[in-house]
Amino acid sequence: MIVGADMRKQSARGWRRAVSGMVIGVLAFGMLTGVQSAAFAQGVDQDLPTWDDVQSAKNSQAKTDAAISKIEGLIKDGEKELDRLRNLHANTIMELQAAEEALAKASDKVVTLERQAEESRKEADEAADRAGVIVAQMYRSGGVDRSMELFLDSDKETADALLERMASMSKATERNTQISEEAKESSNTAASLGEQAEAAKKEREVLRADKAEKEAAAATAVTEQGELVRKQEEQQRDLAVKLEALKDKTTKTVAGYEERLRQEEAERERIRKEQEEAAKREQERREREGNTDTPPPPPTGPPTSPPTGPPPSNSNGWTIPTTGYYVSEGFRPPGRPDHTGIDLATGMGTPIVAAQSGTVAMTYWDGCGGNMVSINHPNGWQTRYAHMNTWAIVSPGQYVSAGQTVGYVGTTGCSSGPHLHFEMRPNQDNGWYDFVNPAFYINF
């Protein structure tokens, strides 16, 4: 069975993975152990073996065995370097996450202070109203001075009644003084909380700017990292095919293997040009429509609540992100509550396309998700695509159209077979929560 990633626990751990301290030098083919062969380059600063080198090595079994051993060593070292390159973004991602958390706390603080200030203002207003009622009652009764005049001119019964009335008015005065003090205290508290809220807002804006700076740094890091990873992946493919050619005992020539690599490179170049043309057409379209800026930022909160009923009868504008698939594992099946997406099993190298138009948020390596890409959509949603066979062929900040290729199906990370692990979230903060079942929105 094809196993999807533990996309919550493992992925969160992948985000925070420490950058390896290992520094791999420039890979070189060097001198073959025990065999002095001019067919292979020598020295740590030289290039990797060429196809001529591989062809020459096939002419001798001893040279072939030594070349196989050396290339296997290079591939092993290359995997270490690839792992290092895949995690170069770890520091910037961790800094971005810290900035996001600080901003979230600051925003919560502003909301709390504003709510408390409003409650205190309300209490002050209510106290003032109560005091006003008491004053009005005293005014309607004629006041203390008038009561004293009646007392001096009245008989005993009238005097007793007036004494009771004056006592009641005295208590009312005391109560009014108490209420007035409460009103003043609530008013002072409201003013203090209001000042704190304003200070918190300024702090929030500083943190917002810091978060934006960290986002830009993270985007730059993963973009530069992507180029390094892609080059290393190509080198690993090159070495793997050359190793396959050396081990092939059915043919004495390597022309077929060399042609296969050439065709793969030509296909990658074709795709690259298609991506450039697609980006150019999109830019021209936006210019025609009078919108030359990048797409507007999405709303900050979830646009809708996850549905509780059956899947809708249509795909709500979403595009199925790959082809020739079958659902090998669903969303949070029994026994796997942490499976936060849906697995679409299909052939290795099958194109993965954007489920909806949007802006590439991140291209990265995740410990369990393997090569991944996340896309933010104008409706406030985020989609994620995992286990790609290579680094994403799109870059952070790039606008992609629905159905545009962003990568290819693979089995990187925690996967035992080629498939796309596809996730959807009504949130765009790159967190590891609020996942929803894609089957509620897309008819797979």
Side-chain angles (χ1 to χ4, degrees), residues 18 47 75 102 130 173 268 296-297 316 364 387 405 425 432:
D47 293 333
I75 289 175
R130 290 198 303 273
T173 301
R268 287 193 294 272
N316 292 334
Y364 54 100
H387 304 316
T405 302
R425 300 177 63 238
W432 297 95

Side-chain angles (χ1 to χ4, degrees), residues 15-16 89-104 207-219 222 361-362 428-430:
W15 278 107
R16 295 168 173 79
H89 70 300
N91 281 344
T92 54
I93 294 299
M94 290 174 67
E95 290 174 358
L96 173 58
Q97 286 183 323
E100 288 174 339
E101 290 172 4
L103 177 59
L207 292 172
R208 196 188 304 280
D210 181 60
K211 175 178 175 289
E213 181 180 337
K214 295 296 191 301
E215 283 178 334
V222 296
M362 297 289 286
Q428 297 187 339
D429 61 0
N430 295 310

Side-chain angles (χ1 to χ4, degrees), residues 361-380:
M362 297 289 286
T363 57
Y364 54 100
W365 171 267
D366 178 87
C368 211
N371 287 312
M372 292 186 67
V373 59
S374 58
I375 301 174
N376 288 342
H377 306 285
N379 60 3

